[in-house]
Amino acid sequence: MIKTDAVIVGAGPVGLFSVFELGILGLNAHVIDNLDRAGGQCIELYPDKPIYDIPALPECTGESLTKNLLKQIKPFQTKFHYNQRVEKLEKKNNCWFVTTSEKVQFETPNIIIAAGVGSFEPRKPPIKNIERFEKINLFYSVKDKNKFKDQTVCIFGGGDSALDWTVELSKIAKKIFLIHRRDEFRAAQHTVDLAKDLEKKGKVDFLTRYQPLDFQGNGKLEKIVIKHDNGGLKELNVDSVLAFFGLKMELGPIANWGLDLEAKSLKVNTENFQTNEKGIFAIGDICTYPGKIKLILSGFHEGALSAQECFKRARPNEKYIFRFTTSSSDIHKRLGVK
């Protein structure tokens, strides 16, 4: 059981800034995210798209914003728990007990939900009983690329993830099959050109205008059947399959936590952005209140105010004294500023 001052659900920009706001108050936090890295929507949906409404940054990208936020919280040595979601939530006295999908358990007085519009879930191929192959040799992300060494790997998709991993895994895999439902790809042209050059060298086979029809195997996935637009079928023997069909956004188990909902958003007050459950806060795009504007800037403000209430709950016997970061030597010390 991990005891911490706060558990933050969501590692997007608003969740990362909450780590900072908690940190300068002397509170520690653990962050849980369903993705395999920090950044949330900014990283998954528009890493290179310009963002113009972050104060003091005339222009940045989702990727650069995430990198700067991670740099900002580095002094706090925050622990991240990726590829996990909160599956169980229990309240005992004034504390919450949290269990993740990987059975990691926390005891905390504060939960800050900064999950954007919900957790990102991979879109799965429409194959019956596909779950029996998942985490065995069917994957929706890559945690350890060395797992695919000397394998025949089938990669579904036509976006950046599919093409990036086609190029990268071609360095260690025995063979790559890249399967896409169209002739055109949505990835960066440079990466597409690299993959096509690998096809000329015999490292990659492009199979376009095909879609998955059946996955077969005993215990693990051994053969896939794909169907061409003209009705033709093709069978491929594989060692592993990577499916990159994009992401869908779901509220997930949060919808069952007994929190007041309004149109798939969590209702909060505007004093400290607490929900109807004391100790559970919602900030960023997932929360709603009169006058709510869905901007990253608004989420930063919400995170700052929720952190104040978190301090009162985590340190009930200490008096909170507001200090500006420009003048407080205590805050400077926490940030490593000389």
Side-chain angles (χ1 to χ4, degrees), residues 217-237:
N218 184 17
K220 68 176 184 177
L221 183 51
E222 298 167 344
K223 181 186 294 183
I224 64 170
V225 181
I226 55 178
K227 184 177 181 179
H228 194 271
D229 286 352
N230 63 16
L233 303 180
K234 185 182 288 289
E235 294 184 356
L236 299 173
N237 294 318

Side-chain angles (χ1 to χ4, degrees), residues 10-17 33 35 37-54 57 60-70 114-118 120 160 247 249 285 294-297 300:
V14 173
L16 296 178
F17 189 68
D33 199 286
L35 296 175
R37 54 181 172 167
Q41 294 179 58
C42 280
I43 286 294
E44 293 302 314
L45 301 184
Y46 44 89
D48 299 319
K49 180 181 177 182
I51 301 173
Y52 299 105
D53 56 0
I54 304 298
L57 294 176
C60 67
T61 64
E63 183 175 17
S64 64
L65 178 62
T66 299
K67 286 181 177 179
N68 282 333
L69 286 164
L70 288 170
V117 289
F120 289 92
D160 287 313
L247 300 166
M249 290 166 279
D285 286 356
K294 291 190 175 184
L295 293 174
I296 295 175
L297 167 64
F300 289 166

Side-chain angles (χ1 to χ4, degrees), residues 6 11 67 128 162-163 178 311 326:
K67 286 181 177 179
K128 188 177 180 180
L163 271 295
L178 177 61
F311 179 89
T326 53

Side-chain angles (χ1 to χ4, degrees), residues 94-139:
N94 208 35
C95 273
W96 291 98
F97 290 81
V98 177
T99 304
T100 75
S101 53
E102 295 296 320
K103 308 306 179 186
V104 181
Q105 296 181 311
F106 303 89
E107 178 183 342
T108 182
N110 301 299
I111 298 173
I112 299 177
I113 304 172
V117 289
S119 63
F120 289 92
E121 301 284 347
R123 295 187 184 277
K124 300 180 181 182
I127 304 295
K128 188 177 180 180
N129 298 323
I130 195 173
E131 295 80 10
R132 69 189 189 276
F133 301 126
E134 291 175 351
K135 296 184 179 180
I136 299 175
N137 62 335
L138 168 61
F139 309 97

Side-chain angles (χ1 to χ4, degrees), residues 94-274:
N94 208 35
C95 273
W96 291 98
F97 290 81
V98 177
T99 304
T100 75
S101 53
E102 295 296 320
K103 308 306 179 186
V104 181
Q105 296 181 311
F106 303 89
E107 178 183 342
T108 182
N110 301 299
I111 298 173
I112 299 177
I113 304 172
V117 289
S119 63
F120 289 92
E121 301 284 347
R123 295 187 184 277
K124 300 180 181 182
I127 304 295
K128 188 177 180 180
N129 298 323
I130 195 173
E131 295 80 10
R132 69 189 189 276
F133 301 126
E134 291 175 351
K135 296 184 179 180
I136 299 175
N137 62 335
L138 168 61
F139 309 97
Y140 304 108
S141 64
V142 177
K143 298 180 185 178
D144 179 10
K145 68 179 182 181
N146 293 314
K147 181 180 296 185
F148 305 98
K149 186 176 180 180
D150 299 325
Q151 288 193 356
T152 296
V153 182
C154 171
I155 298 179
F156 284 97
D160 287 313
S161 293
L163 271 295
D164 285 345
W165 283 115
T166 294
V167 172
E168 185 64 26
L169 294 182
S170 69
K171 301 172 185 176
I172 59 174
K174 181 171 64 177
K175 185 72 175 181
I176 302 284
F177 291 107
L178 177 61
I179 303 171
H180 185 40
R181 60 179 178 167
R182 298 189 179 97
D183 290 321
E184 302 79 21
F185 294 92
R186 294 173 286 104
Q189 189 58 48
H190 173 70
T191 312
V192 175
D193 292 340
L194 288 175
K196 288 184 175 179
D197 185 57
L198 290 168
E199 182 183 30
K200 295 175 183 177
K201 297 176 181 178
K203 291 289 292 181
V204 175
D205 276 0
F206 277 62
L207 297 169
T208 58
R209 301 176 64 191
Y210 278 96
Q211 297 195 51
L213 182 65
D214 192 22
F215 287 0
Q216 302 171 2
N218 184 17
K220 68 176 184 177
L221 183 51
E222 298 167 344
K223 181 186 294 183
I224 64 170
V225 181
I226 55 178
K227 184 177 181 179
H228 194 271
D229 286 352
N230 63 16
L233 303 180
K234 185 182 288 289
E235 294 184 356
L236 299 173
N237 294 318
V238 297
D239 296 310
S240 291
V241 171
L242 288 165
F244 297 113
F245 291 110
L247 300 166
K248 59 182 179 179
M249 290 166 279
E250 301 284 353
L251 199 56
I254 292 173
N256 303 316
W257 290 2
L259 305 177
D260 287 346
L261 288 168
E262 182 179 301
K264 292 188 177 181
S265 296
L266 300 176
K267 295 174 69 174
V268 296
N269 66 51
T270 52
E271 178 185 359
N272 51 36
F273 301 93
Q274 196 163 216

Side-chain angles (χ1 to χ4, degrees), residues 70-86:
L70 288 170
K71 182 179 179 180
Q72 187 178 32
I73 65 174
K74 189 175 180 180
F76 305 123
Q77 300 180 331
T78 305
K79 176 69 174 177
F80 288 83
H81 305 268
Y82 294 125
N83 295 299
Q84 299 181 55
R85 61 193 294 173
V86 175

